[in-house]
Amino acid sequence: MASSPRRPSSDPSAPRVAPVRLAGLLDGTIEDLRIADYHDGVRFADLDVTGVDLADVQFSGCAIERVTTRAAALRGARLMDSTITGLEAPVIDAPSTFWRDVEIRSSRSGSADLYDAEVRSVHIADSKLGYINLRGARVTDLLIEGCSLEELDLGGATVTRLRLVDCRVGTLDVTRATLSDLDLRGGEFSAVRGLESLRGAIIGEHQLAEFGPLFAAALGVRIE
């Protein structure tokens, strides 16, 4: 159980994430989730955890595979050096959580509340996500790749090195956010809120036409 060494990048704006490598995992049960608040080197697979309270639980070096729940109760939880694959959770209640070196793949969620969370070196790939609430969060090195999001809310967040790759985003909200290397070149957007807070973001030349009317509307400029 270990993360592979970080690979140097020639692009200083790229999120610093590396694959999570897990080995020698023990199989965990739903009863383990109910009674213990610390899990190290465990695989939880093919479980319905609806009704299980995971608030303040810690996962280290764990694999969560094909887990379903009507509502994931993760308030204050800590996830480190772990992978999540095939998660089905209409609601994820995870404010004030801590995420470090985590991979999330092939998962679906309608609403994920991660406000006031701390996110470090996280890779989200090939997932369909509804409303992602990162308001007030501290985000460092987040890569979102091949995903569809209805809304990404970064209002009031502090963001350093977040990159979108091949993503469709309904609404991006950066109102009162503090941004450094927010790379939007790999995203398609329907609406952007908080344009006055986009300092520190990166857009591509092809996006200038897309963002132009949004900038004009924010400045009260008519295009005729």
Side-chain angles (χ1 to χ4, degrees), residues 138-215:
R138 296 165 300 285
V139 178
T140 305
D141 298 313
L142 172 59
L143 175 61
I144 305 177
E145 185 174 11
C147 293
S148 173
L149 298 85
E150 293 179 13
E151 182 170 352
L152 178 59
D153 190 345
L154 299 172
T158 301
V159 177
T160 303
R161 292 184 301 275
L162 188 162
R163 174 171 287 181
L164 301 176
V165 177
D166 191 22
C167 290
R168 292 187 176 183
V169 181
T171 300
L172 172 67
D173 191 341
V174 293
T175 305
R176 293 187 297 278
T178 301
L179 308 175
S180 177
D181 295 323
L182 171 63
D183 191 341
L184 304 177
R185 290 173 292 183
E188 296 180 11
F189 306 91
S190 299
V192 179
R193 293 199 294 263
L195 286 165
E196 67 282 355
S197 299
L198 267 180
R199 179 185 294 272
I202 306 167
I203 64 172
E205 290 184 4
H206 68 283
Q207 291 172 313
L208 285 176
E210 176 183 350
F211 278 73
L214 299 175
F215 287 129

Side-chain angles (χ1 to χ4, degrees), residues 115-144:
Y115 59 86
D116 295 331
E118 184 163 351
V119 176
R120 301 182 189 174
S121 300
V122 171
H123 185 188
I124 305 173
D126 305 321
S127 297
K128 186 172 183 180
L129 308 171
Y131 173 52
I132 309 301
N133 180 3
L134 283 163
R135 296 187 72 84
R138 296 165 300 285
V139 178
T140 305
D141 298 313
L142 172 59
L143 175 61
I144 305 177

Side-chain angles (χ1 to χ4, degrees), residues 2-72:
S3 298
S4 63
R6 297 191 186 282
R7 295 167 295 180
S9 172
S10 59
D11 183 354
S13 69
R16 299 168 186 175
V17 299
V20 178
R21 308 296 188 190
L22 302 174
L25 301 181
L26 301 174
D27 290 327
T29 67
I30 194 167
E31 195 60 27
D32 295 329
L33 290 172
R34 286 194 177 105
I35 65 176
D37 58 8
Y38 178 75
H39 307 282
D40 187 5
V42 182
R43 175 184 286 107
F44 296 100
D46 301 302
L47 299 175
D48 185 342
V49 300
T50 299
V52 178
D53 188 356
L54 299 174
D56 299 316
V57 171
Q58 180 168 315
F59 296 92
S60 179
C62 292
I64 299 170
E65 302 172 357
R66 301 176 302 280
V67 168
T68 62
T69 178
R70 288 197 298 272

